[in-house]
Amino acid sequence: MDFSRAEMDAALQDMAIHLHLHTPAAEAHYMIAMQMWGHVKALEYTSGRLLVVGRDAELLAGAPPDAPRTLDGLTVLGDSDLPSDIADQITLAGDLPPATQWPHPDLSLEPIDASPLGATELSGADVVIANLPYADTPALTRDRQIGITMSHHGVIREALTWLRPGGLLIALAHRQLLEGADAQPRRSIAKHADLIAASRLPAGALRRAPLLDSPVDLLMFRRREPGHLPGGLPFIDRVPVRAHDHTDMRINECYAIAPWAVLGNIVPDPVQPGMTTAAPYDESFGTDLGDVLKDQTNIAIEVELYSQARPPLERQADPTPPANQPPRSAPDTDAPTL
């Protein structure tokens, strides 16, 4: 019996989803947390409210691997498909750990109920950590490419509304978000947040299993204060890159200007034509991740993109309008509704 390429891709896609759901990634998530939290604290996010969502969320928040898990026994994500939005997952809330602790043995996170009281907690957070679903599975079909991009865009867009101005969103995202052909999801995010750090984890970084070798992006977005101009790393466009004599590859501009932020060799993806992947240098990416985050967070601090919220920009008084012309309306500096 002959199978078409589309049928084979769909079957492989289903297999990748199944393997993702049944292959643990706790060790890798804790390694990421070890490298990440020193730089989060250097950005002065050391007090206030912490919200986390997604599998192994507590490990990314710095809880020891042997600590009891709040989500044990709770259904976070089913086998059927991507969540339509962040409401399909369980969100945990707690206090940000202090700067002197590592790991965070006293971290206490509790599920936020769907009650009115719980809903009020989903605002004014200082840090949100989102481990987005299926981040390391390949997007082999057109429907999957669109679905993963829109799902991750939707989670990030909603998570940004949970933050106070100047708050930090940390996301583990599928590379399709930064390198999908449609730039509109990235433009939507860029209207409200600055990308202050980005590092591409190599293929197989999270799970060493067949079909789970899509590179994963660790992204840090800072919610922009009302009225301020965009800053941080550029990430809306894709640019051409030459990879092993292939000249038709494209990569996000944040990696084009800082290829060392890709923790591996940039090579053509053997499964997805026109896309690149990050072939790992060795079995561990932790030290390289720490170096990249150190450089990027130091720059963010220098340009004042850190925990302290910048004051609103003063509105400049309009000059007297010419005769026979109505005065211009003042710019709207209210916080955006995402």
Side-chain angles (χ1 to χ4, degrees):
M1 181 177 180
D2 294 331
F3 293 93
S4 68
R5 175 59 186 268
E7 290 172 326
M8 291 183 62
D9 284 346
L12 289 172
Q13 190 76 74
D14 290 342
M15 186 181 300
I17 293 170
H18 176 81
L19 289 170
H20 171 90
L21 291 170
H22 294 89
T23 305
E27 182 178 346
H29 286 139
Y30 188 65
M31 180 192 294
I32 293 168
M34 288 177 63
Q35 299 298 330
M36 180 182 77
W37 270 99
H39 305 296
V40 173
K41 293 174 182 180
L43 291 164
E44 299 185 7
Y45 294 96
T46 56
S47 63
R49 197 70 170 153
L50 171 67
L51 301 176
V52 299
V53 61
R55 291 178 179 272
D56 287 343
E58 288 157 298
L59 292 179
L60 289 172
D66 56 352
R69 308 286 289 280
T70 304
L71 292 179
D72 284 350
L74 300 178
T75 300
V76 181
L77 189 65
D79 289 16
S80 58
D81 205 348
L82 291 166
S84 59
D85 56 37
I86 207 167
D88 292 334
Q89 300 187 71
I90 296 172
T91 304
L92 305 178
D95 294 326
L96 269 173
T100 55
Q101 282 189 348
W102 180 260
H104 304 149
D106 299 326
L107 183 68
S108 178
L109 297 169
E110 297 295 337
I112 290 182
D113 297 326
S115 64
L117 179 60
T120 62
E121 295 186 46
L122 291 177
S123 63
D126 294 85
V127 175
V128 174
I129 299 176
N131 190 13
L132 304 183
Y134 306 118
D136 60 350
T137 59
L140 300 175
T141 66
R142 179 64 175 163
D143 286 347
R144 193 66 178 181
Q145 292 166 7
I146 295 173
I148 200 94
T149 300
M150 298 312 296
S151 171
H152 286 200
H153 163 254
V155 172
I156 288 174
R157 187 183 64 182
E158 184 162 353
L160 287 172
T161 69
W162 298 353
L163 290 167
R164 61 165 175 82
L168 182 69
L169 168 61
I170 303 168
L172 276 181
H174 198 285
R175 63 98 180 268
Q176 194 70 31
L177 179 68
L178 289 189
E179 286 169 13
D182 184 4
Q184 183 54 38
R186 298 188 290 275
R187 290 194 187 96
S188 172
I189 295 169
K191 289 179 180 178
H192 311 294
D194 297 315
L195 180 64
I196 62 173
S199 184
R200 175 154 292 176
L201 310 185
L206 299 186
R207 296 171 176 84
R208 299 189 182 278
L211 296 176
L212 300 181
D213 56 357
S214 182
V216 178
D217 290 325
L218 175 62
L219 307 174
M220 293 187 182
F221 292 102
R222 181 183 183 277
R223 181 170 177 174
R224 192 179 308 122
E225 300 92 338
H228 283 267
L229 295 175
L233 301 171
F235 67 97
I236 294 176
D237 295 326
R238 303 179 306 158
V239 299
V241 62
R242 185 183 183 91
H244 288 226
D245 295 327
H246 291 261
T247 58
D248 57 347
M249 303 289 103
R250 289 189 173 273
I251 196 167
N252 190 274
E253 58 184 329
C254 73
Y255 296 133
I257 63 175
W260 53 86
V262 178
L263 307 184
N265 291 313
I266 300 174
V267 298
D269 192 310
V271 178
Q272 292 185 253
M275 304 286 278
T276 64
T277 188
Y281 296 130
D282 50 40
E283 293 185 358
S284 177
F285 58 88
T287 300
D288 292 335
L289 175 60
D291 290 342
V292 169
L293 293 179
K294 178 181 179 180
D295 291 342
Q296 293 178 337
T297 54
N298 282 345
I299 293 172
I301 292 169
E302 288 178 6
V303 297
E304 298 185 347
L305 293 177
Y306 60 108
S307 174
Q308 184 174 341
R310 296 170 294 181
L313 294 178
E314 294 183 6
R315 296 182 179 180
Q316 299 297 319
D318 285 341
T320 303
N324 301 324
Q325 289 192 18
R328 297 195 305 268
S329 59
D332 182 5
T333 58
D334 291 338
T337 300
L338 307 184

